[in-house]
Amino acid sequence: MISRWRLETTRERLWELLINPVDWPAWWPHLASVNSLASGDQDGIGSRHAFLWRSGLGYLLRIVMTTRRAEPWRELEAAASGDLRGIGLWVIEEASPGAVRLTYRWDVELSKPWMRRLAPLLRPVFAWRHFAVMASGAQGMARQLGCQLSGIEEWSVISPIVEGVTAG
């Protein structure tokens, strides 16, 4: 699933917000908590954070994110484990003078047995809730940065489940 936001801010300000996930619950409404588990190296590689997300449908998601790659002001990639497994990638690009485009690619599979069993039926609901959570994050991020959010795009590349093959 991919979300793209246009924010009237600088790469540097946005980067500082992204690399401090322990502070995200202050502005991201669906994020119940973030706990630092490991700080990683001087670039943050190997840092680990435990996230507790509210789905908006009565269940919580526990996800540990481990930073795999960090290119300051450009890309931040982390591996997810826990209730979801896979990769999350933030990409920051110049949109225009004084504005950036922030893209988040979330390529994961479900770990919870009940979610895996119901995925063929609930896949559209899971995607809808993911994008609602992301949109609230975009709005909170803009408020936290004191900037305008001038666009939200989102799309899913979720494919049907084929027996023995996982979808991304």
Short mmCIF file of all heavy atoms in Angstrom, two decimals, residues 33-102:
data_model
loop_
_atom_site.label_atom_id
_atom_site.label_comp_id
_atom_site.label_asym_id
_atom_site.label_seq_id
_atom_site.Cartn_x
_atom_site.Cartn_y
_atom_site.Cartn_z
N SER A 33 1.25 4.18 21.31
CA SER A 33 2.55 4.34 21.97
C SER A 33 3.68 3.89 21.07
O SER A 33 3.47 3.09 20.15
CB SER A 33 2.59 3.54 23.28
OG SER A 33 2.53 2.15 23.01
N VAL A 34 4.87 4.41 21.37
CA VAL A 34 6.10 3.97 20.72
C VAL A 34 7.15 3.90 21.82
O VAL A 34 7.36 4.87 22.56
CB VAL A 34 6.59 4.94 19.62
CG1 VAL A 34 7.91 4.46 19.02
CG2 VAL A 34 5.54 5.11 18.54
N ASN A 35 7.81 2.76 21.92
CA ASN A 35 8.89 2.59 22.89
C ASN A 35 10.18 2.25 22.16
O ASN A 35 10.19 1.41 21.27
CB ASN A 35 8.56 1.46 23.88
CG ASN A 35 7.38 1.81 24.74
OD1 ASN A 35 7.38 2.85 25.40
ND2 ASN A 35 6.36 0.98 24.71
N SER A 36 11.25 2.93 22.56
CA SER A 36 12.56 2.66 21.98
C SER A 36 13.12 1.39 22.60
O SER A 36 13.15 1.24 23.82
CB SER A 36 13.49 3.85 22.25
OG SER A 36 14.76 3.58 21.71
N LEU A 37 13.57 0.47 21.74
CA LEU A 37 14.15 -0.80 22.20
C LEU A 37 15.67 -0.83 22.01
O LEU A 37 16.36 -1.51 22.75
CB LEU A 37 13.52 -1.97 21.44
CG LEU A 37 12.00 -2.10 21.52
CD1 LEU A 37 11.51 -3.23 20.63
CD2 LEU A 37 11.54 -2.28 22.96
N ALA A 38 16.16 -0.12 20.99
CA ALA A 38 17.61 -0.05 20.70
C ALA A 38 17.87 1.21 19.89
O ALA A 38 17.05 1.59 19.05
CB ALA A 38 18.06 -1.29 19.93
N SER A 39 19.01 1.84 20.13
CA SER A 39 19.29 3.11 19.45
C SER A 39 20.00 2.95 18.11
O SER A 39 19.98 3.85 17.29
CB SER A 39 20.10 4.04 20.36
OG SER A 39 21.30 3.41 20.75
N GLY A 40 20.65 1.83 17.85
CA GLY A 40 21.33 1.65 16.58
C GLY A 40 22.65 2.40 16.52
O GLY A 40 23.13 2.92 17.53
N ASP A 41 23.23 2.45 15.32
CA ASP A 41 24.52 3.13 15.17
C ASP A 41 24.34 4.64 15.05
O ASP A 41 23.23 5.15 15.22
CB ASP A 41 25.31 2.53 14.00
CG ASP A 41 24.69 2.81 12.63
OD1 ASP A 41 23.78 3.66 12.52
OD2 ASP A 41 25.13 2.17 11.66
N GLN A 42 25.40 5.35 14.69
CA GLN A 42 25.34 6.82 14.63
C GLN A 42 24.35 7.32 13.58
O GLN A 42 23.85 8.43 13.68
CB GLN A 42 26.73 7.44 14.41
CG GLN A 42 27.31 7.26 13.01
CD GLN A 42 28.10 5.99 12.85
OE1 GLN A 42 28.14 5.13 13.73
NE2 GLN A 42 28.74 5.84 11.70
N ASP A 43 24.04 6.50 12.58
CA ASP A 43 23.06 6.87 11.55
C ASP A 43 21.66 6.34 11.87
O ASP A 43 20.74 6.53 11.08
CB ASP A 43 23.50 6.33 10.19
CG ASP A 43 24.81 6.94 9.73
OD1 ASP A 43 25.02 8.15 9.94
OD2 ASP A 43 25.65 6.19 9.18
N GLY A 44 21.53 5.63 13.00
CA GLY A 44 20.24 5.06 13.38
C GLY A 44 20.00 3.68 12.84
O GLY A 44 18.97 3.07 13.12
N ILE A 45 20.94 3.14 12.05
CA ILE A 45 20.77 1.80 11.50
C ILE A 45 20.80 0.80 12.65
O ILE A 45 21.68 0.83 13.50
CB ILE A 45 21.89 1.46 10.47
CG1 ILE A 45 21.98 2.54 9.39
CG2 ILE A 45 21.66 0.07 9.88
CD1 ILE A 45 20.72 2.80 8.63
N GLY A 46 19.81 -0.07 12.67
CA GLY A 46 19.69 -1.03 13.76
C GLY A 46 18.83 -0.54 14.91
O GLY A 46 18.55 -1.29 15.84
N SER A 47 18.37 0.71 14.85
CA SER A 47 17.48 1.19 15.91
C SER A 47 16.17 0.40 15.83
O SER A 47 15.73 0.01 14.75
CB SER A 47 17.22 2.69 15.80
OG SER A 47 16.47 2.99 14.64
N ARG A 48 15.59 0.12 16.99
CA ARG A 48 14.36 -0.67 17.06
C ARG A 48 13.35 0.08 17.92
O ARG A 48 13.69 0.58 18.98
CB ARG A 48 14.63 -2.05 17.66
CG ARG A 48 15.54 -2.88 16.78
CD ARG A 48 15.84 -4.25 17.37
NE ARG A 48 14.62 -5.03 17.40
CZ ARG A 48 14.17 -5.69 18.46
NH1 ARG A 48 14.83 -5.69 19.60
NH2 ARG A 48 13.05 -6.38 18.39
N HIS A 49 12.10 0.11 17.43
CA HIS A 49 11.00 0.76 18.16
C HIS A 49 9.78 -0.14 18.13
O HIS A 49 9.44 -0.71 17.08
CB HIS A 49 10.67 2.11 17.53
CG HIS A 49 11.75 3.12 17.69
ND1 HIS A 49 12.81 3.22 16.81
CD2 HIS A 49 11.96 4.04 18.64
CE1 HIS A 49 13.61 4.18 17.21
NE2 HIS A 49 13.13 4.69 18.32
N ALA A 50 9.12 -0.25 19.28
CA ALA A 50 7.88 -1.01 19.39
C ALA A 50 6.71 -0.04 19.27
O ALA A 50 6.58 0.90 20.08
CB ALA A 50 7.83 -1.74 20.73
N PHE A 51 5.87 -0.26 18.27
CA PHE A 51 4.70 0.59 18.00
C PHE A 51 3.44 -0.16 18.41
O PHE A 51 3.31 -1.36 18.14
CB PHE A 51 4.59 0.89 16.50
CG PHE A 51 5.65 1.79 15.96
CD1 PHE A 51 6.94 1.32 15.72
CD2 PHE A 51 5.37 3.11 15.66
CE1 PHE A 51 7.92 2.15 15.19
CE2 PHE A 51 6.34 3.94 15.14
CZ PHE A 51 7.62 3.46 14.90
N LEU A 52 2.50 0.55 19.01
CA LEU A 52 1.18 0.01 19.31
C LEU A 52 0.16 0.89 18.60
O LEU A 52 -0.02 2.07 18.95
CB LEU A 52 0.91 -0.02 20.82
CG LEU A 52 -0.44 -0.60 21.24
CD1 LEU A 52 -0.56 -2.06 20.80
CD2 LEU A 52 -0.62 -0.47 22.75
N TRP A 53 -0.46 0.35 17.55
CA TRP A 53 -1.40 1.09 16.71
C TRP A 53 -2.84 0.70 17.04
O TRP A 53 -3.13 -0.47 17.25
CB TRP A 53 -1.15 0.75 15.23
CG TRP A 53 0.13 1.28 14.70
CD1 TRP A 53 1.32 0.61 14.62
CD2 TRP A 53 0.37 2.57 14.17
NE1 TRP A 53 2.27 1.42 14.06
CE2 TRP A 53 1.72 2.63 13.77
CE3 TRP A 53 -0.44 3.70 13.98
CZ2 TRP A 53 2.28 3.77 13.21
CZ3 TRP A 53 0.12 4.84 13.41
CH2 TRP A 53 1.46 4.87 13.03
N ARG A 54 -3.73 1.70 17.02
CA ARG A 54 -5.17 1.46 17.12
C ARG A 54 -5.71 1.36 15.70
O ARG A 54 -5.49 2.26 14.89
CB ARG A 54 -5.86 2.63 17.82
CG ARG A 54 -5.50 2.81 19.27
CD ARG A 54 -6.33 3.99 19.84
NE ARG A 54 -5.66 4.65 20.92
CZ ARG A 54 -4.77 5.64 20.81
NH1 ARG A 54 -4.43 6.11 19.64
NH2 ARG A 54 -4.23 6.17 21.87
N SER A 55 -6.44 0.32 15.42
CA SER A 55 -6.95 0.10 14.06
C SER A 55 -8.18 0.96 13.75
O SER A 55 -8.47 1.23 12.59
CB SER A 55 -7.33 -1.36 13.87
OG SER A 55 -8.45 -1.67 14.69
N GLY A 56 -8.91 1.34 14.78
CA GLY A 56 -10.18 2.01 14.55
C GLY A 56 -11.32 1.02 14.40
O GLY A 56 -12.47 1.40 14.24
N LEU A 57 -11.00 -0.28 14.47
CA LEU A 57 -12.02 -1.33 14.37
C LEU A 57 -12.05 -2.21 15.61
O LEU A 57 -12.58 -3.31 15.57
CB LEU A 57 -11.77 -2.19 13.13
CG LEU A 57 -11.94 -1.49 11.79
CD1 LEU A 57 -11.55 -2.43 10.66
CD2 LEU A 57 -13.37 -1.00 11.61
N GLY A 58 -11.42 -1.75 16.69
CA GLY A 58 -11.48 -2.48 17.95
C GLY A 58 -10.32 -3.42 18.22
O GLY A 58 -10.33 -4.11 19.23
N TYR A 59 -9.35 -3.49 17.34
CA TYR A 59 -8.18 -4.32 17.62
C TYR A 59 -6.91 -3.46 17.55
O TYR A 59 -6.91 -2.39 16.95
CB TYR A 59 -8.08 -5.52 16.66
CG TYR A 59 -7.92 -5.16 15.21
CD1 TYR A 59 -6.66 -4.96 14.64
CD2 TYR A 59 -9.02 -5.05 14.37
CE1 TYR A 59 -6.51 -4.64 13.30
CE2 TYR A 59 -8.89 -4.73 13.04
CZ TYR A 59 -7.63 -4.52 12.51
OH TYR A 59 -7.49 -4.20 11.19
N LEU A 60 -5.87 -3.93 18.20
CA LEU A 60 -4.58 -3.24 18.22
C LEU A 60 -3.57 -4.02 17.38
O LEU A 60 -3.69 -5.24 17.24
CB LEU A 60 -4.05 -3.14 19.66
CG LEU A 60 -4.90 -2.36 20.64
CD1 LEU A 60 -4.34 -2.52 22.06
CD2 LEU A 60 -4.95 -0.89 20.26
N LEU A 61 -2.60 -3.31 16.84
CA LEU A 61 -1.50 -3.94 16.13
C LEU A 61 -0.20 -3.60 16.84
O LEU A 61 0.09 -2.43 17.09
CB LEU A 61 -1.43 -3.45 14.68
CG LEU A 61 -2.56 -3.89 13.77
CD1 LEU A 61 -2.48 -3.16 12.43
CD2 LEU A 61 -2.51 -5.39 13.55
N ARG A 62 0.56 -4.64 17.15
CA ARG A 62 1.87 -4.48 17.78
C ARG A 62 2.92 -4.78 16.71
O ARG A 62 2.96 -5.88 16.16
CB ARG A 62 2.02 -5.42 18.96
CG ARG A 62 1.16 -5.02 20.13
CD ARG A 62 1.11 -6.08 21.22
NE ARG A 62 0.33 -5.65 22.35
CZ ARG A 62 -1.01 -5.63 22.39
NH1 ARG A 62 -1.69 -6.04 21.36
NH2 ARG A 62 -1.64 -5.21 23.46
N ILE A 63 3.75 -3.77 16.45
CA ILE A 63 4.74 -3.90 15.38
C ILE A 63 6.08 -3.37 15.90
O ILE A 63 6.14 -2.29 16.48
CB ILE A 63 4.32 -3.10 14.14
CG1 ILE A 63 2.94 -3.53 13.67
CG2 ILE A 63 5.36 -3.24 13.02
CD1 ILE A 63 2.31 -2.60 12.65
N VAL A 64 7.14 -4.12 15.69
CA VAL A 64 8.49 -3.65 15.99
C VAL A 64 9.15 -3.29 14.66
O VAL A 64 9.17 -4.10 13.73
CB VAL A 64 9.32 -4.72 16.73
CG1 VAL A 64 10.77 -4.27 16.89
CG2 VAL A 64 8.70 -5.00 18.10
N MET A 65 9.64 -2.06 14.58
CA MET A 65 10.31 -1.58 13.37
C MET A 65 11.80 -1.48 13.65
O MET A 65 12.21 -0.85 14.64
CB MET A 65 9.76 -0.22 12.96
CG MET A 65 8.27 -0.20 12.64
SD MET A 65 7.76 -1.22 11.23
CE MET A 65 8.49 -0.33 9.87
N THR A 66 12.61 -2.07 12.77
CA THR A 66 14.06 -2.03 12.88
C THR A 66 14.61 -1.30 11.66
O THR A 66 14.40 -1.73 10.52
CB THR A 66 14.65 -3.46 12.93
OG1 THR A 66 14.05 -4.15 14.03
CG2 THR A 66 16.17 -3.42 13.11
N THR A 67 15.30 -0.19 11.89
CA THR A 67 15.82 0.62 10.79
C THR A 67 16.91 -0.13 10.05
O THR A 67 17.87 -0.60 10.65
CB THR A 67 16.35 1.98 11.30
OG1 THR A 67 15.28 2.66 11.97
CG2 THR A 67 16.87 2.84 10.16
N ARG A 68 16.73 -0.25 8.73
CA ARG A 68 17.69 -0.94 7.87
C ARG A 68 18.52 0.02 7.04
O ARG A 68 19.64 -0.31 6.66
CB ARG A 68 16.96 -1.87 6.90
CG ARG A 68 16.20 -2.96 7.59
CD ARG A 68 15.39 -3.84 6.70
NE ARG A 68 15.51 -3.65 5.27
CZ ARG A 68 15.29 -4.60 4.37
NH1 ARG A 68 14.94 -5.80 4.76
NH2 ARG A 68 15.39 -4.36 3.09
N ARG A 69 17.94 1.16 6.72
CA ARG A 69 18.62 2.11 5.84
C ARG A 69 18.15 3.51 6.16
O ARG A 69 16.97 3.73 6.40
CB ARG A 69 18.29 1.77 4.38
CG ARG A 69 19.06 2.51 3.36
CD ARG A 69 18.94 1.85 1.99
NE ARG A 69 17.57 1.61 1.58
CZ ARG A 69 16.85 2.45 0.81
NH1 ARG A 69 17.38 3.57 0.40
NH2 ARG A 69 15.62 2.13 0.48
N ALA A 70 19.08 4.45 6.16
CA ALA A 70 18.74 5.86 6.39
C ALA A 70 19.64 6.73 5.52
O ALA A 70 20.85 6.74 5.69
CB ALA A 70 18.92 6.22 7.86
N GLU A 71 19.02 7.43 4.58
CA GLU A 71 19.72 8.41 3.76
C GLU A 71 19.12 9.75 4.14
O GLU A 71 18.02 10.08 3.70
CB GLU A 71 19.51 8.13 2.28
CG GLU A 71 20.12 6.83 1.81
CD GLU A 71 19.87 6.60 0.32
OE1 GLU A 71 19.87 7.57 -0.45
OE2 GLU A 71 19.69 5.43 -0.04
N PRO A 72 19.82 10.53 5.01
CA PRO A 72 19.24 11.77 5.53
C PRO A 72 18.58 12.64 4.47
O PRO A 72 19.13 12.86 3.39
CB PRO A 72 20.44 12.46 6.17
CG PRO A 72 21.33 11.33 6.57
CD PRO A 72 21.18 10.31 5.47
N TRP A 73 17.39 13.09 4.81
CA TRP A 73 16.55 13.98 4.02
C TRP A 73 16.03 13.33 2.75
O TRP A 73 15.44 14.00 1.91
CB TRP A 73 17.27 15.29 3.69
CG TRP A 73 17.87 15.93 4.87
CD1 TRP A 73 17.21 16.39 5.99
CD2 TRP A 73 19.25 16.14 5.12
NE1 TRP A 73 18.09 16.88 6.89
CE2 TRP A 73 19.37 16.75 6.39
CE3 TRP A 73 20.41 15.90 4.40
CZ2 TRP A 73 20.58 17.10 6.94
CZ3 TRP A 73 21.62 16.25 4.94
CH2 TRP A 73 21.70 16.85 6.20
N ARG A 74 16.24 11.99 2.60
CA ARG A 74 15.80 11.31 1.37
C ARG A 74 14.99 10.05 1.64
O ARG A 74 13.86 9.94 1.18
CB ARG A 74 17.01 10.96 0.50
CG ARG A 74 17.76 12.17 0.00
CD ARG A 74 18.98 11.79 -0.81
NE ARG A 74 18.74 10.72 -1.77
CZ ARG A 74 18.33 10.90 -3.02
NH1 ARG A 74 18.12 12.10 -3.45
NH2 ARG A 74 18.17 9.87 -3.83
N GLU A 75 15.56 9.07 2.36
CA GLU A 75 14.88 7.79 2.55
C GLU A 75 15.14 7.21 3.93
O GLU A 75 16.25 7.35 4.46
CB GLU A 75 15.36 6.76 1.50
CG GLU A 75 14.97 7.11 0.10
CD GLU A 75 15.33 6.04 -0.90
OE1 GLU A 75 15.86 4.98 -0.50
OE2 GLU A 75 15.07 6.25 -2.09
N LEU A 76 14.11 6.57 4.46
CA LEU A 76 14.20 5.89 5.74
C LEU A 76 13.44 4.57 5.59
O LEU A 76 12.24 4.58 5.29
CB LEU A 76 13.59 6.75 6.85
CG LEU A 76 13.72 6.25 8.28
CD1 LEU A 76 15.18 6.09 8.69
CD2 LEU A 76 12.99 7.20 9.22
N GLU A 77 14.17 3.46 5.77
CA GLU A 77 13.56 2.15 5.57
C GLU A 77 13.70 1.31 6.83
O GLU A 77 14.75 1.33 7.48
CB GLU A 77 14.26 1.43 4.41
CG GLU A 77 13.68 0.07 4.11
CD GLU A 77 14.43 -0.61 2.98
OE1 GLU A 77 15.58 -1.04 3.19
OE2 GLU A 77 13.85 -0.69 1.88
N ALA A 78 12.64 0.58 7.17
CA ALA A 78 12.66 -0.27 8.35
C ALA A 78 11.94 -1.58 8.07
O ALA A 78 11.00 -1.64 7.27
CB ALA A 78 12.01 0.45 9.54
N ALA A 79 12.41 -2.63 8.75
CA ALA A 79 11.77 -3.94 8.67
C ALA A 79 10.76 -4.05 9.80
O ALA A 79 11.05 -3.68 10.94
CB ALA A 79 12.83 -5.03 8.79
N ALA A 80 9.58 -4.56 9.47
CA ALA A 80 8.51 -4.75 10.45
C ALA A 80 8.45 -6.21 10.89
O ALA A 80 8.60 -7.12 10.08
CB ALA A 80 7.17 -4.36 9.84
N SER A 81 8.22 -6.40 12.20
CA SER A 81 7.96 -7.73 12.73
C SER A 81 6.84 -7.58 13.76
O SER A 81 6.50 -6.48 14.17
CB SER A 81 9.22 -8.33 13.37
OG SER A 81 9.67 -7.52 14.43
N GLY A 82 6.26 -8.69 14.14
CA GLY A 82 5.14 -8.66 15.08
C GLY A 82 3.86 -9.03 14.36
O GLY A 82 3.82 -9.99 13.60
N ASP A 83 2.79 -8.25 14.59
CA ASP A 83 1.50 -8.54 14.00
C ASP A 83 1.49 -8.40 12.47
O ASP A 83 0.63 -8.95 11.79
CB ASP A 83 0.41 -7.67 14.60
CG ASP A 83 0.15 -8.02 16.07
OD1 ASP A 83 0.50 -9.14 16.49
OD2 ASP A 83 -0.40 -7.15 16.78
N LEU A 84 2.43 -7.62 11.95
CA LEU A 84 2.65 -7.50 10.51
C LEU A 84 4.14 -7.70 10.27
O LEU A 84 4.96 -7.27 11.08
CB LEU A 84 2.22 -6.11 10.00
CG LEU A 84 0.76 -5.73 10.22
CD1 LEU A 84 0.54 -4.27 9.83
CD2 LEU A 84 -0.16 -6.63 9.41
N ARG A 85 4.49 -8.31 9.14
CA ARG A 85 5.90 -8.52 8.78
C ARG A 85 6.14 -7.97 7.39
O ARG A 85 5.33 -8.20 6.49
CB ARG A 85 6.23 -10.02 8.77
CG ARG A 85 6.20 -10.67 10.13
CD ARG A 85 6.65 -12.13 10.04
NE ARG A 85 5.95 -12.87 8.98
CZ ARG A 85 4.94 -13.69 9.18
NH1 ARG A 85 4.46 -13.88 10.38
NH2 ARG A 85 4.38 -14.32 8.17
N GLY A 86 7.27 -7.27 7.25
CA GLY A 86 7.61 -6.76 5.92
C GLY A 86 8.49 -5.55 6.01
O GLY A 86 9.33 -5.43 6.91
N ILE A 87 8.26 -4.60 5.09
CA ILE A 87 9.12 -3.43 4.96
C ILE A 87 8.26 -2.17 4.88
O ILE A 87 7.24 -2.13 4.19
CB ILE A 87 9.97 -3.51 3.66
CG1 ILE A 87 10.83 -4.76 3.66
CG2 ILE A 87 10.81 -2.25 3.48
CD1 ILE A 87 11.89 -4.80 4.73
N GLY A 88 8.71 -1.12 5.58
CA GLY A 88 8.14 0.22 5.44
C GLY A 88 9.22 1.15 4.93
O GLY A 88 10.36 1.10 5.41
N LEU A 89 8.89 1.98 3.95
CA LEU A 89 9.87 2.90 3.36
C LEU A 89 9.28 4.28 3.22
O LEU A 89 8.25 4.46 2.56
CB LEU A 89 10.30 2.37 1.98
CG LEU A 89 11.18 3.30 1.14
CD1 LEU A 89 12.53 3.52 1.82
CD2 LEU A 89 11.35 2.74 -0.27
N TRP A 90 9.92 5.27 3.86
CA TRP A 90 9.58 6.68 3.68
C TRP A 90 10.52 7.24 2.62
O TRP A 90 11.74 7.04 2.70
CB TRP A 90 9.81 7.48 4.96
CG TRP A 90 8.91 7.18 6.11
CD1 TRP A 90 9.23 6.46 7.23
CD2 TRP A 90 7.56 7.62 6.31
NE1 TRP A 90 8.16 6.42 8.09
CE2 TRP A 90 7.12 7.14 7.56
CE3 TRP A 90 6.69 8.39 5.53
CZ2 TRP A 90 5.85 7.38 8.05
CZ3 TRP A 90 5.42 8.63 6.04
CH2 TRP A 90 5.01 8.14 7.28
N VAL A 91 10.00 7.98 1.65
CA VAL A 91 10.80 8.64 0.62
C VAL A 91 10.40 10.12 0.59
O VAL A 91 9.22 10.44 0.44
CB VAL A 91 10.58 8.01 -0.78
CG1 VAL A 91 11.39 8.76 -1.84
CG2 VAL A 91 10.94 6.54 -0.76
N ILE A 92 11.40 10.99 0.74
CA ILE A 92 11.17 12.44 0.72
C ILE A 92 11.73 12.99 -0.58
O ILE A 92 12.90 12.78 -0.90
CB ILE A 92 11.88 13.13 1.91
CG1 ILE A 92 11.44 12.52 3.24
CG2 ILE A 92 11.62 14.63 1.87
CD1 ILE A 92 12.27 12.97 4.43
N GLU A 93 10.89 13.73 -1.33
CA GLU A 93 11.30 14.34 -2.59
C GLU A 93 10.87 15.80 -2.61
O GLU A 93 9.85 16.15 -2.01
CB GLU A 93 10.65 13.62 -3.77
CG GLU A 93 10.93 12.14 -3.84
CD GLU A 93 10.04 11.46 -4.85
OE1 GLU A 93 8.82 11.36 -4.60
OE2 GLU A 93 10.58 11.03 -5.89
N GLU A 94 11.62 16.61 -3.33
CA GLU A 94 11.20 17.99 -3.54
C GLU A 94 9.96 17.98 -4.43
O GLU A 94 9.93 17.29 -5.45
CB GLU A 94 12.31 18.80 -4.23
CG GLU A 94 13.55 18.98 -3.39
CD GLU A 94 13.34 19.85 -2.16
OE1 GLU A 94 12.51 20.77 -2.20
OE2 GLU A 94 14.03 19.60 -1.15
N ALA A 95 8.94 18.74 -4.04
CA ALA A 95 7.73 18.85 -4.86
C ALA A 95 7.76 20.16 -5.64
O ALA A 95 7.39 20.21 -6.80
CB ALA A 95 6.48 18.78 -4.00
N SER A 96 8.21 21.21 -4.96
CA SER A 96 8.33 22.55 -5.53
C SER A 96 9.12 23.36 -4.50
O SER A 96 9.33 22.88 -3.38
CB SER A 96 6.95 23.16 -5.78
OG SER A 96 6.25 23.32 -4.56
N PRO A 97 9.52 24.56 -4.84
CA PRO A 97 10.22 25.35 -3.81
C PRO A 97 9.35 25.49 -2.55
O PRO A 97 8.19 25.89 -2.64
CB PRO A 97 10.44 26.70 -4.50
CG PRO A 97 10.46 26.37 -5.96
CD PRO A 97 9.46 25.24 -6.11
N GLY A 98 9.90 25.07 -1.41
CA GLY A 98 9.18 25.19 -0.14
C GLY A 98 8.19 24.07 0.13
O GLY A 98 7.42 24.15 1.09
N ALA A 99 8.19 23.03 -0.70
CA ALA A 99 7.26 21.91 -0.48
C ALA A 99 7.96 20.60 -0.79
O ALA A 99 8.83 20.52 -1.66
CB ALA A 99 6.02 22.07 -1.36
N VAL A 100 7.54 19.56 -0.05
CA VAL A 100 8.08 18.22 -0.28
C VAL A 100 6.93 17.24 -0.51
O VAL A 100 5.80 17.47 -0.09
CB VAL A 100 8.95 17.73 0.91
CG1 VAL A 100 10.19 18.59 1.06
CG2 VAL A 100 8.16 17.68 2.19
N ARG A 101 7.28 16.17 -1.19
CA ARG A 101 6.36 15.06 -1.37
C ARG A 101 6.91 13.91 -0.53
O ARG A 101 8.07 13.52 -0.68
CB ARG A 101 6.30 14.67 -2.85
CG ARG A 101 5.29 13.60 -3.16
CD ARG A 101 5.14 13.34 -4.67
NE ARG A 101 6.33 13.55 -5.47
CZ ARG A 101 6.58 14.62 -6.23
NH1 ARG A 101 5.70 15.61 -6.29
NH2 ARG A 101 7.68 14.72 -6.94
N LEU A 102 6.09 13.41 0.38
CA LEU A 102 6.47 12.31 1.25
C LEU A 102 5.68 11.08 0.84
O LEU A 102 4.45 11.11 0.83
CB LEU A 102 6.19 12.66 2.72
CG LEU A 102 6.49 11.57 3.74
CD1 LEU A 102 7.98 11.22 3.74
CD2 LEU A 102 6.05 12.03 5.13
#
